[in-house]
Amino acid sequence: QVQLVESGGGLVQAGGSLRLSCATSGRTFSDYVMGWFRQAPGKEREFVAAITWSGSSTNYADSVKGRFTISRDNAKKTVYLQMNSLKPEDTAVYYCAARYRTISLYSPDYNYWGQGTQVTVSS
């Protein structure tokens, strides 16, 4: 089992920044690909970013490329999502997720999920 707890969400003005954290516990963190997804009201959950266990490979949704950065600290068993130049359309609940070994852009492929953290970007 892997337990995930997100933090760092909040209310920010357009153009601002936030850094989300996802603390993990349980099985060997370094064996898992970590991903961030988000879900806005009335919309389906969508992929945001993912990172391999070594941090050598990352993947981003087109909508966040150049603005968001995913990173991880295996010693701290934590993954981060640095969000810059935030837009009102980034408003959503952000979820951290984990799956074994390989990156996927599809939420059903992830086995473990956090409870989510709200990000609200005002215009």
Side-chain angles (χ1 to χ4, degrees), residues 1 3 6 12 18-19 22 24-25 27-28 30 47 50 52 56 60-61 66 73 83 85-86 98 108 115:
Q1 283 285 47
Q3 291 79 43
E6 302 96 335
V12 64
L18 283 174
R19 188 176 82 154
C22 175
T24 75
S25 61
R27 290 189 174 179
T28 306
S30 59
F47 172 79
T52 55
S56 62
Y60 294 92
D73 184 332
M83 306 185 296
S85 302
L86 282 162
Q115 82 289 349

PDB file of all heavy atoms in Angstrom, residues 1 3 6 12 18-19 22 24-25 27-28 30 47 50 52 56 60-61 66 73 83 85-86 98 108 115:
ATOM      1  N   GLN A   1       0.824  -1.192   0.000  1.00  0.00           N
ATOM      2  CA  GLN A   1       0.000   0.000   0.000  1.00  0.00           C
ATOM      3  C   GLN A   1       0.862   1.248   0.000  1.00  0.00           C
ATOM      4  O   GLN A   1       1.967   1.262   0.556  1.00  0.00           O
ATOM      5  CB  GLN A   1      -0.890   0.028   1.231  1.00  0.00           C
ATOM      6  CG  GLN A   1      -2.086  -0.893   1.166  1.00  0.00           C
ATOM      7  CD  GLN A   1      -3.193  -0.393   0.268  1.00  0.00           C
ATOM      8  OE1 GLN A   1      -2.950   0.036  -0.853  1.00  0.00           O
ATOM      9  NE2 GLN A   1      -4.423  -0.442   0.745  1.00  0.00           N
ATOM     10  N   GLN A   3       0.307   5.422   0.734  1.00  0.00           N
ATOM     11  CA  GLN A   3      -0.583   6.492   1.186  1.00  0.00           C
ATOM     12  C   GLN A   3      -0.047   7.832   0.689  1.00  0.00           C
ATOM     13  O   GLN A   3       1.161   8.086   0.755  1.00  0.00           O
ATOM     14  CB  GLN A   3      -0.675   6.521   2.710  1.00  0.00           C
ATOM     15  CG  GLN A   3      -1.403   5.335   3.316  1.00  0.00           C
ATOM     16  CD  GLN A   3      -0.538   4.087   3.389  1.00  0.00           C
ATOM     17  OE1 GLN A   3       0.622   4.154   3.758  1.00  0.00           O
ATOM     18  NE2 GLN A   3      -1.120   2.947   3.023  1.00  0.00           N
ATOM     19  N   GLU A   6      -1.766  15.262  -0.087  1.00  0.00           N
ATOM     20  CA  GLU A   6      -1.422  16.500  -0.779  1.00  0.00           C
ATOM     21  C   GLU A   6      -1.541  17.698   0.163  1.00  0.00           C
ATOM     22  O   GLU A   6      -2.326  17.687   1.115  1.00  0.00           O
ATOM     23  CB  GLU A   6      -2.343  16.762  -1.982  1.00  0.00           C
ATOM     24  CG  GLU A   6      -2.369  15.677  -3.030  1.00  0.00           C
ATOM     25  CD  GLU A   6      -3.518  14.724  -2.842  1.00  0.00           C
ATOM     26  OE1 GLU A   6      -3.992  14.593  -1.696  1.00  0.00           O
ATOM     27  OE2 GLU A   6      -3.961  14.105  -3.824  1.00  0.00           O
ATOM     28  N   VAL A  12      -5.185  32.037  -5.224  1.00  0.00           N
ATOM     29  CA  VAL A  12      -4.120  32.884  -5.753  1.00  0.00           C
ATOM     30  C   VAL A  12      -4.664  33.685  -6.931  1.00  0.00           C
ATOM     31  O   VAL A  12      -5.592  33.235  -7.617  1.00  0.00           O
ATOM     32  CB  VAL A  12      -2.908  32.021  -6.173  1.00  0.00           C
ATOM     33  CG1 VAL A  12      -3.268  31.085  -7.319  1.00  0.00           C
ATOM     34  CG2 VAL A  12      -1.703  32.876  -6.512  1.00  0.00           C
ATOM     35  N   LEU A  18       1.956  28.756  -7.015  1.00  0.00           N
ATOM     36  CA  LEU A  18       1.738  27.868  -5.878  1.00  0.00           C
ATOM     37  C   LEU A  18       2.634  26.652  -6.045  1.00  0.00           C
ATOM     38  O   LEU A  18       2.958  26.269  -7.179  1.00  0.00           O
ATOM     39  CB  LEU A  18       0.283  27.393  -5.792  1.00  0.00           C
ATOM     40  CG  LEU A  18      -0.778  28.345  -5.264  1.00  0.00           C
ATOM     41  CD1 LEU A  18      -2.159  27.704  -5.413  1.00  0.00           C
ATOM     42  CD2 LEU A  18      -0.528  28.709  -3.808  1.00  0.00           C
ATOM     43  N   ARG A  19       3.012  26.051  -4.920  1.00  0.00           N
ATOM     44  CA  ARG A  19       3.724  24.788  -4.987  1.00  0.00           C
ATOM     45  C   ARG A  19       2.943  23.746  -4.195  1.00  0.00           C
ATOM     46  O   ARG A  19       2.729  23.908  -2.981  1.00  0.00           O
ATOM     47  CB  ARG A  19       5.144  24.882  -4.431  1.00  0.00           C
ATOM     48  CG  ARG A  19       5.932  23.599  -4.698  1.00  0.00           C
ATOM     49  CD  ARG A  19       7.371  23.671  -4.262  1.00  0.00           C
ATOM     50  NE  ARG A  19       7.541  23.424  -2.846  1.00  0.00           N
ATOM     51  CZ  ARG A  19       8.664  22.946  -2.303  1.00  0.00           C
ATOM     52  NH1 ARG A  19       9.700  22.675  -3.067  1.00  0.00           N
ATOM     53  NH2 ARG A  19       8.750  22.778  -0.993  1.00  0.00           N
ATOM     54  N   CYS A  22       3.168  16.435  -2.226  1.00  0.00           N
ATOM     55  CA  CYS A  22       2.487  15.162  -1.998  1.00  0.00           C
ATOM     56  C   CYS A  22       3.425  14.284  -1.190  1.00  0.00           C
ATOM     57  O   CYS A  22       4.439  13.807  -1.703  1.00  0.00           O
ATOM     58  CB  CYS A  22       2.129  14.504  -3.310  1.00  0.00           C
ATOM     59  SG  CYS A  22       1.416  12.855  -3.139  1.00  0.00           S
ATOM     60  N   THR A  24       4.305  10.896   0.802  1.00  0.00           N
ATOM     61  CA  THR A  24       3.918   9.504   0.668  1.00  0.00           C
ATOM     62  C   THR A  24       4.425   8.679   1.839  1.00  0.00           C
ATOM     63  O   THR A  24       5.403   9.039   2.504  1.00  0.00           O
ATOM     64  CB  THR A  24       4.460   8.899  -0.636  1.00  0.00           C
ATOM     65  OG1 THR A  24       5.866   8.663  -0.490  1.00  0.00           O
ATOM     66  CG2 THR A  24       4.228   9.812  -1.824  1.00  0.00           C
ATOM     67  N   SER A  25       3.784   7.566   2.050  1.00  0.00           N
ATOM     68  CA  SER A  25       4.237   6.602   3.041  1.00  0.00           C
ATOM     69  C   SER A  25       3.813   5.229   2.572  1.00  0.00           C
ATOM     70  O   SER A  25       2.958   5.091   1.698  1.00  0.00           O
ATOM     71  CB  SER A  25       3.648   6.907   4.419  1.00  0.00           C
ATOM     72  OG  SER A  25       2.241   6.837   4.378  1.00  0.00           O
ATOM     73  N   ARG A  27       4.918   1.643   0.850  1.00  0.00           N
ATOM     74  CA  ARG A  27       5.910   0.892   0.090  1.00  0.00           C
ATOM     75  C   ARG A  27       6.999   1.788  -0.477  1.00  0.00           C
ATOM     76  O   ARG A  27       6.915   2.995  -0.419  1.00  0.00           O
ATOM     77  CB  ARG A  27       5.224   0.113  -1.032  1.00  0.00           C
ATOM     78  CG  ARG A  27       4.375  -1.028  -0.533  1.00  0.00           C
ATOM     79  CD  ARG A  27       3.898  -1.909  -1.647  1.00  0.00           C
ATOM     80  NE  ARG A  27       3.205  -3.076  -1.145  1.00  0.00           N
ATOM     81  CZ  ARG A  27       2.672  -3.985  -1.919  1.00  0.00           C
ATOM     82  NH1 ARG A  27       2.760  -3.875  -3.237  1.00  0.00           N
ATOM     83  NH2 ARG A  27       2.052  -5.024  -1.396  1.00  0.00           N
ATOM     84  N   THR A  28       8.007   1.176  -1.037  1.00  0.00           N
ATOM     85  CA  THR A  28       9.183   1.887  -1.515  1.00  0.00           C
ATOM     86  C   THR A  28       8.785   2.959  -2.521  1.00  0.00           C
ATOM     87  O   THR A  28       8.387   2.675  -3.641  1.00  0.00           O
ATOM     88  CB  THR A  28      10.180   0.913  -2.155  1.00  0.00           C
ATOM     89  OG1 THR A  28      10.474  -0.117  -1.216  1.00  0.00           O
ATOM     90  CG2 THR A  28      11.458   1.635  -2.542  1.00  0.00           C
ATOM     91  N   SER A  30      10.483   4.974  -4.260  1.00  0.00           N
ATOM     92  CA  SER A  30      11.291   5.108  -5.477  1.00  0.00           C
ATOM     93  C   SER A  30      10.897   4.114  -6.555  1.00  0.00           C
ATOM     94  O   SER A  30      11.356   4.223  -7.680  1.00  0.00           O
ATOM     95  CB  SER A  30      12.775   4.957  -5.141  1.00  0.00           C
ATOM     96  OG  SER A  30      13.018   3.698  -4.555  1.00  0.00           O
ATOM     97  N   PHE A  47      -5.084  14.615 -16.792  1.00  0.00           N
ATOM     98  CA  PHE A  47      -3.659  14.501 -16.508  1.00  0.00           C
ATOM     99  C   PHE A  47      -3.012  15.879 -16.501  1.00  0.00           C
ATOM    100  O   PHE A  47      -3.326  16.732 -17.337  1.00  0.00           O
ATOM    101  CB  PHE A  47      -3.013  13.626 -17.575  1.00  0.00           C
ATOM    102  CG  PHE A  47      -1.515  13.579 -17.523  1.00  0.00           C
ATOM    103  CD1 PHE A  47      -0.872  12.781 -16.599  1.00  0.00           C
ATOM    104  CD2 PHE A  47      -0.759  14.334 -18.405  1.00  0.00           C
ATOM    105  CE1 PHE A  47       0.512  12.730 -16.541  1.00  0.00           C
ATOM    106  CE2 PHE A  47       0.624  14.296 -18.370  1.00  0.00           C
ATOM    107  CZ  PHE A  47       1.266  13.488 -17.433  1.00  0.00           C
ATOM    108  N   ALA A  50       3.641  13.992 -14.828  1.00  0.00           N
ATOM    109  CA  ALA A  50       4.111  12.764 -14.198  1.00  0.00           C
ATOM    110  C   ALA A  50       5.625  12.728 -14.244  1.00  0.00           C
ATOM    111  O   ALA A  50       6.257  13.384 -15.083  1.00  0.00           O
ATOM    112  CB  ALA A  50       3.522  11.536 -14.880  1.00  0.00           C
ATOM    113  N   THR A  52       9.094   9.910 -13.526  1.00  0.00           N
ATOM    114  CA  THR A  52       9.560   8.565 -13.240  1.00  0.00           C
ATOM    115  C   THR A  52      10.245   8.502 -11.884  1.00  0.00           C
ATOM    116  O   THR A  52      10.551   9.518 -11.275  1.00  0.00           O
ATOM    117  CB  THR A  52      10.525   8.082 -14.323  1.00  0.00           C
ATOM    118  OG1 THR A  52      11.600   9.044 -14.437  1.00  0.00           O
ATOM    119  CG2 THR A  52       9.825   7.939 -15.652  1.00  0.00           C
ATOM    120  N   SER A  56      14.325  11.267 -14.071  1.00  0.00           N
ATOM    121  CA  SER A  56      14.981  11.536 -15.349  1.00  0.00           C
ATOM    122  C   SER A  56      14.001  11.777 -16.481  1.00  0.00           C
ATOM    123  O   SER A  56      14.380  12.317 -17.535  1.00  0.00           O
ATOM    124  CB  SER A  56      15.901  10.374 -15.723  1.00  0.00           C
ATOM    125  OG  SER A  56      15.145   9.183 -15.875  1.00  0.00           O
ATOM    126  N   TYR A  60       4.174  16.260 -19.410  1.00  0.00           N
ATOM    127  CA  TYR A  60       3.256  17.332 -19.037  1.00  0.00           C
ATOM    128  C   TYR A  60       2.098  17.420 -20.032  1.00  0.00           C
ATOM    129  O   TYR A  60       2.266  17.166 -21.230  1.00  0.00           O
ATOM    130  CB  TYR A  60       3.972  18.691 -19.041  1.00  0.00           C
ATOM    131  CG  TYR A  60       5.042  18.823 -18.000  1.00  0.00           C
ATOM    132  CD1 TYR A  60       6.364  18.506 -18.284  1.00  0.00           C
ATOM    133  CD2 TYR A  60       4.731  19.267 -16.716  1.00  0.00           C
ATOM    134  CE1 TYR A  60       7.358  18.630 -17.324  1.00  0.00           C
ATOM    135  CE2 TYR A  60       5.710  19.396 -15.748  1.00  0.00           C
ATOM    136  CZ  TYR A  60       7.021  19.079 -16.060  1.00  0.00           C
ATOM    137  OH  TYR A  60       7.993  19.199 -15.094  1.00  0.00           O
ATOM    138  N   ALA A  61       0.952  17.812 -19.530  1.00  0.00           N
ATOM    139  CA  ALA A  61      -0.156  18.171 -20.408  1.00  0.00           C
ATOM    140  C   ALA A  61       0.219  19.433 -21.167  1.00  0.00           C
ATOM    141  O   ALA A  61       0.925  20.305 -20.648  1.00  0.00           O
ATOM    142  CB  ALA A  61      -1.415  18.400 -19.585  1.00  0.00           C
ATOM    143  N   GLY A  66       5.655  24.543 -19.736  1.00  0.00           N
ATOM    144  CA  GLY A  66       6.304  25.839 -19.623  1.00  0.00           C
ATOM    145  C   GLY A  66       5.875  26.635 -18.407  1.00  0.00           C
ATOM    146  O   GLY A  66       6.501  27.645 -18.078  1.00  0.00           O
ATOM    147  N   ASP A  73      11.583  14.182  -4.465  1.00  0.00           N
ATOM    148  CA  ASP A  73      12.704  13.975  -3.551  1.00  0.00           C
ATOM    149  C   ASP A  73      12.497  12.600  -2.934  1.00  0.00           C
ATOM    150  O   ASP A  73      11.666  12.438  -2.035  1.00  0.00           O
ATOM    151  CB  ASP A  73      12.722  15.079  -2.488  1.00  0.00           C
ATOM    152  CG  ASP A  73      13.919  14.986  -1.569  1.00  0.00           C
ATOM    153  OD1 ASP A  73      14.442  13.867  -1.362  1.00  0.00           O
ATOM    154  OD2 ASP A  73      14.313  16.025  -1.026  1.00  0.00           O
ATOM    155  N   MET A  83       3.740  25.467  -9.693  1.00  0.00           N
ATOM    156  CA  MET A  83       2.807  26.038 -10.665  1.00  0.00           C
ATOM    157  C   MET A  83       3.024  27.539 -10.749  1.00  0.00           C
ATOM    158  O   MET A  83       2.819  28.260  -9.766  1.00  0.00           O
ATOM    159  CB  MET A  83       1.362  25.725 -10.261  1.00  0.00           C
ATOM    160  CG  MET A  83       1.101  24.241 -10.049  1.00  0.00           C
ATOM    161  SD  MET A  83      -0.644  23.870  -9.710  1.00  0.00           S
ATOM    162  CE  MET A  83      -0.866  24.718  -8.163  1.00  0.00           C
ATOM    163  N   SER A  85       2.661  31.263 -13.272  1.00  0.00           N
ATOM    164  CA  SER A  85       1.796  31.914 -14.273  1.00  0.00           C
ATOM    165  C   SER A  85       0.405  31.292 -14.287  1.00  0.00           C
ATOM    166  O   SER A  85      -0.134  30.964 -15.343  1.00  0.00           O
ATOM    167  CB  SER A  85       2.439  31.811 -15.665  1.00  0.00           C
ATOM    168  OG  SER A  85       3.726  32.400 -15.660  1.00  0.00           O
ATOM    169  N   LEU A  86      -0.152  31.156 -13.113  1.00  0.00           N
ATOM    170  CA  LEU A  86      -1.458  30.485 -12.996  1.00  0.00           C
ATOM    171  C   LEU A  86      -2.554  31.266 -13.691  1.00  0.00           C
ATOM    172  O   LEU A  86      -2.539  32.517 -13.718  1.00  0.00           O
ATOM    173  CB  LEU A  86      -1.795  30.267 -11.524  1.00  0.00           C
ATOM    174  CG  LEU A  86      -1.049  29.087 -10.889  1.00  0.00           C
ATOM    175  CD1 LEU A  86      -1.067  29.194  -9.380  1.00  0.00           C
ATOM    176  CD2 LEU A  86      -1.677  27.777 -11.340  1.00  0.00           C
ATOM    177  N   ALA A  98      -0.090   7.523  -7.757  1.00  0.00           N
ATOM    178  CA  ALA A  98       1.096   6.698  -7.913  1.00  0.00           C
ATOM    179  C   ALA A  98       0.763   5.420  -8.669  1.00  0.00           C
ATOM    180  O   ALA A  98      -0.324   4.863  -8.501  1.00  0.00           O
ATOM    181  CB  ALA A  98       1.689   6.348  -6.549  1.00  0.00           C
ATOM    182  N   PRO A 108      -7.029   5.880 -14.840  1.00  0.00           N
ATOM    183  CA  PRO A 108      -7.327   4.515 -14.395  1.00  0.00           C
ATOM    184  C   PRO A 108      -6.085   3.646 -14.212  1.00  0.00           C
ATOM    185  O   PRO A 108      -6.162   2.603 -13.556  1.00  0.00           O
ATOM    186  CB  PRO A 108      -8.217   3.961 -15.512  1.00  0.00           C
ATOM    187  CG  PRO A 108      -8.836   5.151 -16.132  1.00  0.00           C
ATOM    188  CD  PRO A 108      -7.781   6.201 -16.069  1.00  0.00           C
ATOM    189  N   GLN A 115      -6.206  12.587  -1.349  1.00  0.00           N
ATOM    190  CA  GLN A 115      -7.563  13.090  -1.152  1.00  0.00           C
ATOM    191  C   GLN A 115      -7.829  14.353  -1.950  1.00  0.00           C
ATOM    192  O   GLN A 115      -8.976  14.776  -2.087  1.00  0.00           O
ATOM    193  CB  GLN A 115      -7.807  13.355   0.338  1.00  0.00           C
ATOM    194  CG  GLN A 115      -7.283  14.688   0.858  1.00  0.00           C
ATOM    195  CD  GLN A 115      -5.765  14.763   0.938  1.00  0.00           C
ATOM    196  OE1 GLN A 115      -5.073  13.744   0.801  1.00  0.00           O
ATOM    197  NE2 GLN A 115      -5.232  15.953   1.162  1.00  0.00           N
TER     198      GLN A 115
END
